[in-house]
Amino acid sequence: MNSSFSAELPIQYEVVARSGVTPIPSGAGRFTGFGAPPAIDDAGNVAFTGGGNSEFGVYTASGVCCQKVVDNHTPIPSGGGATFVGFDFADSYDIDGGRVAFRLTHSSYPLRVGFYSSAGQSSPTDVVEVAMFEDSEWSEAGDPWVDGDSVAIMGRRLIPSDHYTILRWEGGGLSANFVDPGDGYIFGATQASISGDVAIFGRYSAALRSAEVAIAGGGAEETLLVFNSTPIPGTNGVKFTDISTHLAVERGGQDAAFVGYGSQTRALVKRVAGGALENVANNSMSIPGAANDMFQLFSESGFSLANGQVVFSASGLYGREWIYTDIGGELSVLLVNEANNTIELDGVLEQVTRFEIGPHA
């Protein structure tokens, strides 16, 4: 069990956008608020939703802020003149290589939900339709995931038959069955996490009395854990009984991370370079740097995986929320939501009282 602590990492924070200060690109006025937690890719490009003064949209910060991807005045591709709406609920978006994917409704009647992306396009603002969510075709659809020029969507599709699948789009249409959980199984996650030709997912079958986490693709499959059988690393043999709704996979399936649950146990676990699952943190560990406090809750979507290392959000016994990383092999504090915790932004010390991070690999 790793409960070591290293000093806070030397980190430089950069303001992407600030309410009341940052002008809305291609709009009027300044941002007054932002939506769901932002997404970030390995190159430091950021995607977020926000708006103000009747302007709402999806924006990116690639090098400098900000660039409009779409807003509530943007015509929807193949939308017959309809425009994007529903930015209040645009909590499903992702970015990789500076290209985004997102799920939004549009203004035609009846309201329809579509998936859109700039992945694989010549410009980050060149948005095309990936898939349209229609009652006749879909009964469920999860959050999009961008991997290079590919976009993946996890869902339950009714055509050509009722089945669960991860669809992959690469600019020329959807692959109807990139990965599926297998006969009799349903998915146990909401985001389609892929890396190259593989995907990671949880699957459940009441009839088979089976539940697992697997990495599959390219005709091969690897089971990472079996519920009620595989021990959670870093515990005294407590078995996995459930997993988080978001999982991350990287480097073609060699690396993975997710939150797991067992009897009175919560844990963030990972695997690196195709090795065994290992403990990052769990609720039997004291929080490094916090006297008499212990990890309690781990955000199911508030973690990120890159190069075998994680950044994650967790809370303790007394409502304090922390962002930690295991870069360097030991847990290090990045942020804590206490009034005496400050960070430097544009040369000014700011108190940290609340924060959110989003998932990606």
Side-chain angles (χ1 to χ4, degrees), residues 22-61:
T22 305
I24 299 174
S26 303
R30 304 179 186 276
F31 285 107
T32 60
F34 304 99
I40 188 169
D41 64 21
D42 289 350
N45 301 304
V46 176
F48 64 96
T49 57
N53 194 31
S54 300
E55 305 279 348
F56 305 96
V58 177
Y59 305 93
T60 59

PDB file of all heavy atoms in Angstrom, residues 22-61:
ATOM      1  N   THR A  22     -12.638  37.378 -19.865  1.00  0.00           N
ATOM      2  CA  THR A  22     -12.292  36.858 -21.189  1.00  0.00           C
ATOM      3  C   THR A  22     -13.406  37.122 -22.191  1.00  0.00           C
ATOM      4  O   THR A  22     -14.558  36.727 -21.966  1.00  0.00           O
ATOM      5  CB  THR A  22     -12.026  35.346 -21.126  1.00  0.00           C
ATOM      6  OG1 THR A  22     -11.019  35.083 -20.137  1.00  0.00           O
ATOM      7  CG2 THR A  22     -11.575  34.811 -22.480  1.00  0.00           C
ATOM      8  N   PRO A  23     -13.095  37.786 -23.316  1.00  0.00           N
ATOM      9  CA  PRO A  23     -14.112  38.012 -24.351  1.00  0.00           C
ATOM     10  C   PRO A  23     -14.563  36.691 -24.972  1.00  0.00           C
ATOM     11  O   PRO A  23     -13.766  35.759 -25.143  1.00  0.00           O
ATOM     12  CB  PRO A  23     -13.382  38.870 -25.388  1.00  0.00           C
ATOM     13  CG  PRO A  23     -12.217  39.455 -24.667  1.00  0.00           C
ATOM     14  CD  PRO A  23     -11.814  38.441 -23.657  1.00  0.00           C
ATOM     15  N   ILE A  24     -15.842  36.607 -25.307  1.00  0.00           N
ATOM     16  CA  ILE A  24     -16.369  35.429 -25.993  1.00  0.00           C
ATOM     17  C   ILE A  24     -15.957  35.520 -27.460  1.00  0.00           C
ATOM     18  O   ILE A  24     -16.307  36.489 -28.143  1.00  0.00           O
ATOM     19  CB  ILE A  24     -17.898  35.358 -25.874  1.00  0.00           C
ATOM     20  CG1 ILE A  24     -18.313  35.254 -24.402  1.00  0.00           C
ATOM     21  CG2 ILE A  24     -18.454  34.180 -26.666  1.00  0.00           C
ATOM     22  CD1 ILE A  24     -19.809  35.324 -24.185  1.00  0.00           C
ATOM     23  N   PRO A  25     -15.216  34.555 -27.979  1.00  0.00           N
ATOM     24  CA  PRO A  25     -14.762  34.647 -29.375  1.00  0.00           C
ATOM     25  C   PRO A  25     -15.933  34.587 -30.346  1.00  0.00           C
ATOM     26  O   PRO A  25     -16.881  33.814 -30.154  1.00  0.00           O
ATOM     27  CB  PRO A  25     -13.848  33.428 -29.530  1.00  0.00           C
ATOM     28  CG  PRO A  25     -14.259  32.486 -28.457  1.00  0.00           C
ATOM     29  CD  PRO A  25     -14.740  33.329 -27.321  1.00  0.00           C
ATOM     30  N   SER A  26     -15.878  35.428 -31.344  1.00  0.00           N
ATOM     31  CA  SER A  26     -16.926  35.495 -32.378  1.00  0.00           C
ATOM     32  C   SER A  26     -18.290  35.789 -31.763  1.00  0.00           C
ATOM     33  O   SER A  26     -19.328  35.412 -32.318  1.00  0.00           O
ATOM     34  CB  SER A  26     -16.992  34.193 -33.186  1.00  0.00           C
ATOM     35  OG  SER A  26     -15.744  33.900 -33.770  1.00  0.00           O
ATOM     36  N   GLY A  27     -18.293  36.438 -30.609  1.00  0.00           N
ATOM     37  CA  GLY A  27     -19.550  36.754 -29.949  1.00  0.00           C
ATOM     38  C   GLY A  27     -19.518  38.155 -29.379  1.00  0.00           C
ATOM     39  O   GLY A  27     -18.649  38.968 -29.701  1.00  0.00           O
ATOM     40  N   ALA A  28     -20.466  38.429 -28.517  1.00  0.00           N
ATOM     41  CA  ALA A  28     -20.558  39.747 -27.903  1.00  0.00           C
ATOM     42  C   ALA A  28     -20.378  39.613 -26.396  1.00  0.00           C
ATOM     43  O   ALA A  28     -20.927  38.704 -25.774  1.00  0.00           O
ATOM     44  CB  ALA A  28     -21.919  40.380 -28.210  1.00  0.00           C
ATOM     45  N   GLY A  29     -19.628  40.511 -25.813  1.00  0.00           N
ATOM     46  CA  GLY A  29     -19.459  40.517 -24.378  1.00  0.00           C
ATOM     47  C   GLY A  29     -18.405  39.532 -23.904  1.00  0.00           C
ATOM     48  O   GLY A  29     -17.575  39.048 -24.673  1.00  0.00           O
ATOM     49  N   ARG A  30     -18.463  39.224 -22.608  1.00  0.00           N
ATOM     50  CA  ARG A  30     -17.472  38.371 -21.964  1.00  0.00           C
ATOM     51  C   ARG A  30     -18.154  37.152 -21.338  1.00  0.00           C
ATOM     52  O   ARG A  30     -19.346  37.163 -21.078  1.00  0.00           O
ATOM     53  CB  ARG A  30     -16.716  39.166 -20.898  1.00  0.00           C
ATOM     54  CG  ARG A  30     -16.068  40.426 -21.458  1.00  0.00           C
ATOM     55  CD  ARG A  30     -15.345  41.227 -20.390  1.00  0.00           C
ATOM     56  NE  ARG A  30     -14.858  42.502 -20.954  1.00  0.00           N
ATOM     57  CZ  ARG A  30     -13.715  42.630 -21.618  1.00  0.00           C
ATOM     58  NH1 ARG A  30     -12.943  41.571 -21.792  1.00  0.00           N
ATOM     59  NH2 ARG A  30     -13.343  43.805 -22.086  1.00  0.00           N
ATOM     60  N   PHE A  31     -17.356  36.118 -21.121  1.00  0.00           N
ATOM     61  CA  PHE A  31     -17.903  34.929 -20.466  1.00  0.00           C
ATOM     62  C   PHE A  31     -18.448  35.308 -19.090  1.00  0.00           C
ATOM     63  O   PHE A  31     -17.811  36.040 -18.332  1.00  0.00           O
ATOM     64  CB  PHE A  31     -16.823  33.857 -20.291  1.00  0.00           C
ATOM     65  CG  PHE A  31     -16.449  33.134 -21.555  1.00  0.00           C
ATOM     66  CD1 PHE A  31     -15.244  33.377 -22.178  1.00  0.00           C
ATOM     67  CD2 PHE A  31     -17.311  32.197 -22.113  1.00  0.00           C
ATOM     68  CE1 PHE A  31     -14.884  32.710 -23.339  1.00  0.00           C
ATOM     69  CE2 PHE A  31     -16.972  31.530 -23.278  1.00  0.00           C
ATOM     70  CZ  PHE A  31     -15.751  31.784 -23.891  1.00  0.00           C
ATOM     71  N   THR A  32     -19.633  34.789 -18.779  1.00  0.00           N
ATOM     72  CA  THR A  32     -20.189  34.958 -17.439  1.00  0.00           C
ATOM     73  C   THR A  32     -20.244  33.642 -16.678  1.00  0.00           C
ATOM     74  O   THR A  32     -20.488  33.633 -15.471  1.00  0.00           O
ATOM     75  CB  THR A  32     -21.609  35.550 -17.504  1.00  0.00           C
ATOM     76  OG1 THR A  32     -22.454  34.669 -18.260  1.00  0.00           O
ATOM     77  CG2 THR A  32     -21.593  36.922 -18.165  1.00  0.00           C
ATOM     78  N   GLY A  33     -20.022  32.544 -17.378  1.00  0.00           N
ATOM     79  CA  GLY A  33     -20.043  31.248 -16.717  1.00  0.00           C
ATOM     80  C   GLY A  33     -19.587  30.151 -17.655  1.00  0.00           C
ATOM     81  O   GLY A  33     -19.455  30.352 -18.868  1.00  0.00           O
ATOM     82  N   PHE A  34     -19.350  28.964 -17.058  1.00  0.00           N
ATOM     83  CA  PHE A  34     -18.862  27.827 -17.808  1.00  0.00           C
ATOM     84  C   PHE A  34     -19.673  26.590 -17.457  1.00  0.00           C
ATOM     85  O   PHE A  34     -20.336  26.535 -16.415  1.00  0.00           O
ATOM     86  CB  PHE A  34     -17.375  27.601 -17.521  1.00  0.00           C
ATOM     87  CG  PHE A  34     -16.536  28.817 -17.805  1.00  0.00           C
ATOM     88  CD1 PHE A  34     -16.138  29.663 -16.778  1.00  0.00           C
ATOM     89  CD2 PHE A  34     -16.183  29.144 -19.103  1.00  0.00           C
ATOM     90  CE1 PHE A  34     -15.397  30.800 -17.026  1.00  0.00           C
ATOM     91  CE2 PHE A  34     -15.441  30.281 -19.368  1.00  0.00           C
ATOM     92  CZ  PHE A  34     -15.051  31.112 -18.337  1.00  0.00           C
ATOM     93  N   GLY A  35     -19.617  25.587 -18.327  1.00  0.00           N
ATOM     94  CA  GLY A  35     -20.430  24.391 -18.158  1.00  0.00           C
ATOM     95  C   GLY A  35     -19.722  23.306 -17.377  1.00  0.00           C
ATOM     96  O   GLY A  35     -19.124  23.551 -16.326  1.00  0.00           O
ATOM     97  N   ALA A  36     -19.769  22.095 -17.921  1.00  0.00           N
ATOM     98  CA  ALA A  36     -19.186  20.941 -17.262  1.00  0.00           C
ATOM     99  C   ALA A  36     -17.667  21.065 -17.188  1.00  0.00           C
ATOM    100  O   ALA A  36     -17.082  21.945 -17.826  1.00  0.00           O
ATOM    101  CB  ALA A  36     -19.575  19.674 -18.025  1.00  0.00           C
ATOM    102  N   PRO A  37     -17.003  20.206 -16.395  1.00  0.00           N
ATOM    103  CA  PRO A  37     -15.544  20.282 -16.309  1.00  0.00           C
ATOM    104  C   PRO A  37     -14.891  20.235 -17.683  1.00  0.00           C
ATOM    105  O   PRO A  37     -15.338  19.501 -18.565  1.00  0.00           O
ATOM    106  CB  PRO A  37     -15.184  19.030 -15.492  1.00  0.00           C
ATOM    107  CG  PRO A  37     -16.392  18.756 -14.673  1.00  0.00           C
ATOM    108  CD  PRO A  37     -17.551  19.151 -15.530  1.00  0.00           C
ATOM    109  N   PRO A  38     -13.833  21.016 -17.898  1.00  0.00           N
ATOM    110  CA  PRO A  38     -13.185  21.052 -19.212  1.00  0.00           C
ATOM    111  C   PRO A  38     -12.464  19.744 -19.505  1.00  0.00           C
ATOM    112  O   PRO A  38     -12.154  18.961 -18.609  1.00  0.00           O
ATOM    113  CB  PRO A  38     -12.187  22.208 -19.077  1.00  0.00           C
ATOM    114  CG  PRO A  38     -11.882  22.260 -17.617  1.00  0.00           C
ATOM    115  CD  PRO A  38     -13.166  21.887 -16.919  1.00  0.00           C
ATOM    116  N   ALA A  39     -12.188  19.523 -20.784  1.00  0.00           N
ATOM    117  CA  ALA A  39     -11.397  18.377 -21.214  1.00  0.00           C
ATOM    118  C   ALA A  39     -10.058  18.890 -21.720  1.00  0.00           C
ATOM    119  O   ALA A  39      -9.963  19.998 -22.258  1.00  0.00           O
ATOM    120  CB  ALA A  39     -12.124  17.612 -22.318  1.00  0.00           C
ATOM    121  N   ILE A  40      -9.005  18.082 -21.557  1.00  0.00           N
ATOM    122  CA  ILE A  40      -7.674  18.484 -21.994  1.00  0.00           C
ATOM    123  C   ILE A  40      -6.986  17.308 -22.650  1.00  0.00           C
ATOM    124  O   ILE A  40      -7.199  16.150 -22.256  1.00  0.00           O
ATOM    125  CB  ILE A  40      -6.853  19.008 -20.791  1.00  0.00           C
ATOM    126  CG1 ILE A  40      -5.527  19.619 -21.259  1.00  0.00           C
ATOM    127  CG2 ILE A  40      -6.618  17.922 -19.760  1.00  0.00           C
ATOM    128  CD1 ILE A  40      -4.785  20.388 -20.172  1.00  0.00           C
ATOM    129  N   ASP A  41      -6.189  17.566 -23.675  1.00  0.00           N
ATOM    130  CA  ASP A  41      -5.463  16.482 -24.329  1.00  0.00           C
ATOM    131  C   ASP A  41      -3.986  16.528 -23.950  1.00  0.00           C
ATOM    132  O   ASP A  41      -3.540  17.389 -23.175  1.00  0.00           O
ATOM    133  CB  ASP A  41      -5.664  16.516 -25.851  1.00  0.00           C
ATOM    134  CG  ASP A  41      -5.105  17.772 -26.514  1.00  0.00           C
ATOM    135  OD1 ASP A  41      -4.235  18.436 -25.911  1.00  0.00           O
ATOM    136  OD2 ASP A  41      -5.531  18.091 -27.636  1.00  0.00           O
ATOM    137  N   ASP A  42      -3.216  15.578 -24.475  1.00  0.00           N
ATOM    138  CA  ASP A  42      -1.814  15.448 -24.087  1.00  0.00           C
ATOM    139  C   ASP A  42      -0.976  16.657 -24.479  1.00  0.00           C
ATOM    140  O   ASP A  42       0.091  16.894 -23.902  1.00  0.00           O
ATOM    141  CB  ASP A  42      -1.204  14.195 -24.724  1.00  0.00           C
ATOM    142  CG  ASP A  42      -1.733  12.915 -24.095  1.00  0.00           C
ATOM    143  OD1 ASP A  42      -2.408  13.014 -23.059  1.00  0.00           O
ATOM    144  OD2 ASP A  42      -1.470  11.829 -24.640  1.00  0.00           O
ATOM    145  N   ALA A  43      -1.425  17.416 -25.477  1.00  0.00           N
ATOM    146  CA  ALA A  43      -0.677  18.590 -25.919  1.00  0.00           C
ATOM    147  C   ALA A  43      -1.059  19.846 -25.155  1.00  0.00           C
ATOM    148  O   ALA A  43      -0.540  20.930 -25.438  1.00  0.00           O
ATOM    149  CB  ALA A  43      -0.888  18.805 -27.417  1.00  0.00           C
ATOM    150  N   GLY A  44      -1.984  19.737 -24.203  1.00  0.00           N
ATOM    151  CA  GLY A  44      -2.409  20.888 -23.424  1.00  0.00           C
ATOM    152  C   GLY A  44      -3.538  21.676 -24.031  1.00  0.00           C
ATOM    153  O   GLY A  44      -3.901  22.743 -23.514  1.00  0.00           O
ATOM    154  N   ASN A  45      -4.133  21.189 -25.123  1.00  0.00           N
ATOM    155  CA  ASN A  45      -5.308  21.851 -25.694  1.00  0.00           C
ATOM    156  C   ASN A  45      -6.515  21.589 -24.808  1.00  0.00           C
ATOM    157  O   ASN A  45      -6.721  20.463 -24.332  1.00  0.00           O
ATOM    158  CB  ASN A  45      -5.580  21.315 -27.104  1.00  0.00           C
ATOM    159  CG  ASN A  45      -4.413  21.528 -28.038  1.00  0.00           C
ATOM    160  OD1 ASN A  45      -3.949  22.642 -28.220  1.00  0.00           O
ATOM    161  ND2 ASN A  45      -3.923  20.444 -28.636  1.00  0.00           N
ATOM    162  N   VAL A  46      -7.324  22.607 -24.601  1.00  0.00           N
ATOM    163  CA  VAL A  46      -8.464  22.520 -23.686  1.00  0.00           C
ATOM    164  C   VAL A  46      -9.764  22.750 -24.452  1.00  0.00           C
ATOM    165  O   VAL A  46      -9.829  23.621 -25.334  1.00  0.00           O
ATOM    166  CB  VAL A  46      -8.333  23.563 -22.555  1.00  0.00           C
ATOM    167  CG1 VAL A  46      -9.567  23.557 -21.660  1.00  0.00           C
ATOM    168  CG2 VAL A  46      -7.079  23.300 -21.740  1.00  0.00           C
ATOM    169  N   ALA A  47     -10.787  21.981 -24.121  1.00  0.00           N
ATOM    170  CA  ALA A  47     -12.136  22.188 -24.645  1.00  0.00           C
ATOM    171  C   ALA A  47     -13.070  22.471 -23.481  1.00  0.00           C
ATOM    172  O   ALA A  47     -12.949  21.869 -22.408  1.00  0.00           O
ATOM    173  CB  ALA A  47     -12.621  20.970 -25.416  1.00  0.00           C
ATOM    174  N   PHE A  48     -14.009  23.407 -23.682  1.00  0.00           N
ATOM    175  CA  PHE A  48     -14.939  23.742 -22.617  1.00  0.00           C
ATOM    176  C   PHE A  48     -16.194  24.352 -23.218  1.00  0.00           C
ATOM    177  O   PHE A  48     -16.223  24.772 -24.377  1.00  0.00           O
ATOM    178  CB  PHE A  48     -14.307  24.711 -21.608  1.00  0.00           C
ATOM    179  CG  PHE A  48     -13.946  26.056 -22.174  1.00  0.00           C
ATOM    180  CD1 PHE A  48     -14.803  27.138 -22.050  1.00  0.00           C
ATOM    181  CD2 PHE A  48     -12.731  26.254 -22.828  1.00  0.00           C
ATOM    182  CE1 PHE A  48     -14.479  28.391 -22.562  1.00  0.00           C
ATOM    183  CE2 PHE A  48     -12.385  27.500 -23.337  1.00  0.00           C
ATOM    184  CZ  PHE A  48     -13.257  28.574 -23.210  1.00  0.00           C
ATOM    185  N   THR A  49     -17.248  24.392 -22.418  1.00  0.00           N
ATOM    186  CA  THR A  49     -18.465  25.103 -22.803  1.00  0.00           C
ATOM    187  C   THR A  49     -18.631  26.306 -21.893  1.00  0.00           C
ATOM    188  O   THR A  49     -18.183  26.314 -20.747  1.00  0.00           O
ATOM    189  CB  THR A  49     -19.717  24.208 -22.698  1.00  0.00           C
ATOM    190  OG1 THR A  49     -19.820  23.707 -21.360  1.00  0.00           O
ATOM    191  CG2 THR A  49     -19.631  23.039 -23.670  1.00  0.00           C
ATOM    192  N   GLY A  50     -19.264  27.332 -22.427  1.00  0.00           N
ATOM    193  CA  GLY A  50     -19.484  28.533 -21.638  1.00  0.00           C
ATOM    194  C   GLY A  50     -20.270  29.547 -22.435  1.00  0.00           C
ATOM    195  O   GLY A  50     -20.758  29.267 -23.533  1.00  0.00           O
ATOM    196  N   GLY A  51     -20.411  30.713 -21.870  1.00  0.00           N
ATOM    197  CA  GLY A  51     -21.142  31.745 -22.579  1.00  0.00           C
ATOM    198  C   GLY A  51     -21.494  32.917 -21.700  1.00  0.00           C
ATOM    199  O   GLY A  51     -21.012  33.071 -20.580  1.00  0.00           O
ATOM    200  N   GLY A  52     -22.377  33.750 -22.251  1.00  0.00           N
ATOM    201  CA  GLY A  52     -22.822  34.957 -21.582  1.00  0.00           C
ATOM    202  C   GLY A  52     -23.435  35.892 -22.599  1.00  0.00           C
ATOM    203  O   GLY A  52     -23.163  35.789 -23.806  1.00  0.00           O
ATOM    204  N   ASN A  53     -24.314  36.788 -22.157  1.00  0.00           N
ATOM    205  CA  ASN A  53     -24.921  37.780 -23.046  1.00  0.00           C
ATOM    206  C   ASN A  53     -25.615  37.103 -24.231  1.00  0.00           C
ATOM    207  O   ASN A  53     -25.475  37.507 -25.387  1.00  0.00           O
ATOM    208  CB  ASN A  53     -23.861  38.768 -23.544  1.00  0.00           C
ATOM    209  CG  ASN A  53     -24.465  40.007 -24.191  1.00  0.00           C
ATOM    210  OD1 ASN A  53     -25.551  40.438 -23.803  1.00  0.00           O
ATOM    211  ND2 ASN A  53     -23.770  40.564 -25.179  1.00  0.00           N
ATOM    212  N   SER A  54     -26.342  36.022 -23.930  1.00  0.00           N
ATOM    213  CA  SER A  54     -27.104  35.263 -24.932  1.00  0.00           C
ATOM    214  C   SER A  54     -26.224  34.536 -25.936  1.00  0.00           C
ATOM    215  O   SER A  54     -26.694  34.110 -26.989  1.00  0.00           O
ATOM    216  CB  SER A  54     -28.108  36.167 -25.684  1.00  0.00           C
ATOM    217  OG  SER A  54     -29.031  36.747 -24.787  1.00  0.00           O
ATOM    218  N   GLU A  55     -24.934  34.419 -25.624  1.00  0.00           N
ATOM    219  CA  GLU A  55     -24.024  33.651 -26.465  1.00  0.00           C
ATOM    220  C   GLU A  55     -23.614  32.395 -25.693  1.00  0.00           C
ATOM    221  O   GLU A  55     -23.183  32.484 -24.545  1.00  0.00           O
ATOM    222  CB  GLU A  55     -22.760  34.463 -26.790  1.00  0.00           C
ATOM    223  CG  GLU A  55     -23.017  35.819 -27.411  1.00  0.00           C
ATOM    224  CD  GLU A  55     -23.278  35.725 -28.896  1.00  0.00           C
ATOM    225  OE1 GLU A  55     -23.037  34.653 -29.485  1.00  0.00           O
ATOM    226  OE2 GLU A  55     -23.719  36.741 -29.475  1.00  0.00           O
ATOM    227  N   PHE A  56     -23.756  31.224 -26.333  1.00  0.00           N
ATOM    228  CA  PHE A  56     -23.380  29.968 -25.700  1.00  0.00           C
ATOM    229  C   PHE A  56     -22.695  29.098 -26.739  1.00  0.00           C
ATOM    230  O   PHE A  56     -23.080  29.100 -27.907  1.00  0.00           O
ATOM    231  CB  PHE A  56     -24.605  29.240 -25.147  1.00  0.00           C
ATOM    232  CG  PHE A  56     -25.425  30.067 -24.199  1.00  0.00           C
ATOM    233  CD1 PHE A  56     -26.531  30.760 -24.651  1.00  0.00           C
ATOM    234  CD2 PHE A  56     -25.072  30.160 -22.866  1.00  0.00           C
ATOM    235  CE1 PHE A  56     -27.290  31.538 -23.793  1.00  0.00           C
ATOM    236  CE2 PHE A  56     -25.823  30.936 -21.999  1.00  0.00           C
ATOM    237  CZ  PHE A  56     -26.933  31.632 -22.453  1.00  0.00           C
ATOM    238  N   GLY A  57     -21.664  28.352 -26.307  1.00  0.00           N
ATOM    239  CA  GLY A  57     -20.982  27.548 -27.298  1.00  0.00           C
ATOM    240  C   GLY A  57     -19.982  26.573 -26.726  1.00  0.00           C
ATOM    241  O   GLY A  57     -19.784  26.461 -25.514  1.00  0.00           O
ATOM    242  N   VAL A  58     -19.338  25.847 -27.653  1.00  0.00           N
ATOM    243  CA  VAL A  58     -18.206  24.974 -27.358  1.00  0.00           C
ATOM    244  C   VAL A  58     -16.962  25.692 -27.858  1.00  0.00           C
ATOM    245  O   VAL A  58     -16.921  26.156 -28.999  1.00  0.00           O
ATOM    246  CB  VAL A  58     -18.347  23.612 -28.065  1.00  0.00           C
ATOM    247  CG1 VAL A  58     -17.120  22.742 -27.795  1.00  0.00           C
ATOM    248  CG2 VAL A  58     -19.614  22.886 -27.618  1.00  0.00           C
ATOM    249  N   TYR A  59     -15.946  25.782 -26.998  1.00  0.00           N
ATOM    250  CA  TYR A  59     -14.750  26.548 -27.321  1.00  0.00           C
ATOM    251  C   TYR A  59     -13.502  25.727 -27.012  1.00  0.00           C
ATOM    252  O   TYR A  59     -13.539  24.773 -26.230  1.00  0.00           O
ATOM    253  CB  TYR A  59     -14.724  27.857 -26.517  1.00  0.00           C
ATOM    254  CG  TYR A  59     -15.956  28.696 -26.701  1.00  0.00           C
ATOM    255  CD1 TYR A  59     -17.039  28.578 -25.820  1.00  0.00           C
ATOM    256  CD2 TYR A  59     -16.063  29.588 -27.758  1.00  0.00           C
ATOM    257  CE1 TYR A  59     -18.195  29.335 -25.996  1.00  0.00           C
ATOM    258  CE2 TYR A  59     -17.211  30.357 -27.939  1.00  0.00           C
ATOM    259  CZ  TYR A  59     -18.276  30.211 -27.056  1.00  0.00           C
ATOM    260  OH  TYR A  59     -19.421  30.960 -27.237  1.00  0.00           O
ATOM    261  N   THR A  60     -12.396  26.122 -27.638  1.00  0.00           N
ATOM    262  CA  THR A  60     -11.121  25.491 -27.348  1.00  0.00           C
ATOM    263  C   THR A  60     -10.087  26.553 -27.030  1.00  0.00           C
ATOM    264  O   THR A  60     -10.222  27.722 -27.413  1.00  0.00           O
ATOM    265  CB  THR A  60     -10.610  24.649 -28.535  1.00  0.00           C
ATOM    266  OG1 THR A  60     -10.461  25.484 -29.688  1.00  0.00           O
ATOM    267  CG2 THR A  60     -11.553  23.493 -28.834  1.00  0.00           C
ATOM    268  N   ALA A  61      -9.055  26.125 -26.321  1.00  0.00           N
ATOM    269  CA  ALA A  61      -7.859  26.946 -26.108  1.00  0.00           C
ATOM    270  C   ALA A  61      -6.696  26.129 -26.626  1.00  0.00           C
ATOM    271  O   ALA A  61      -6.260  25.177 -25.980  1.00  0.00           O
ATOM    272  CB  ALA A  61      -7.690  27.271 -24.632  1.00  0.00           C
TER     273      ALA A  61
END
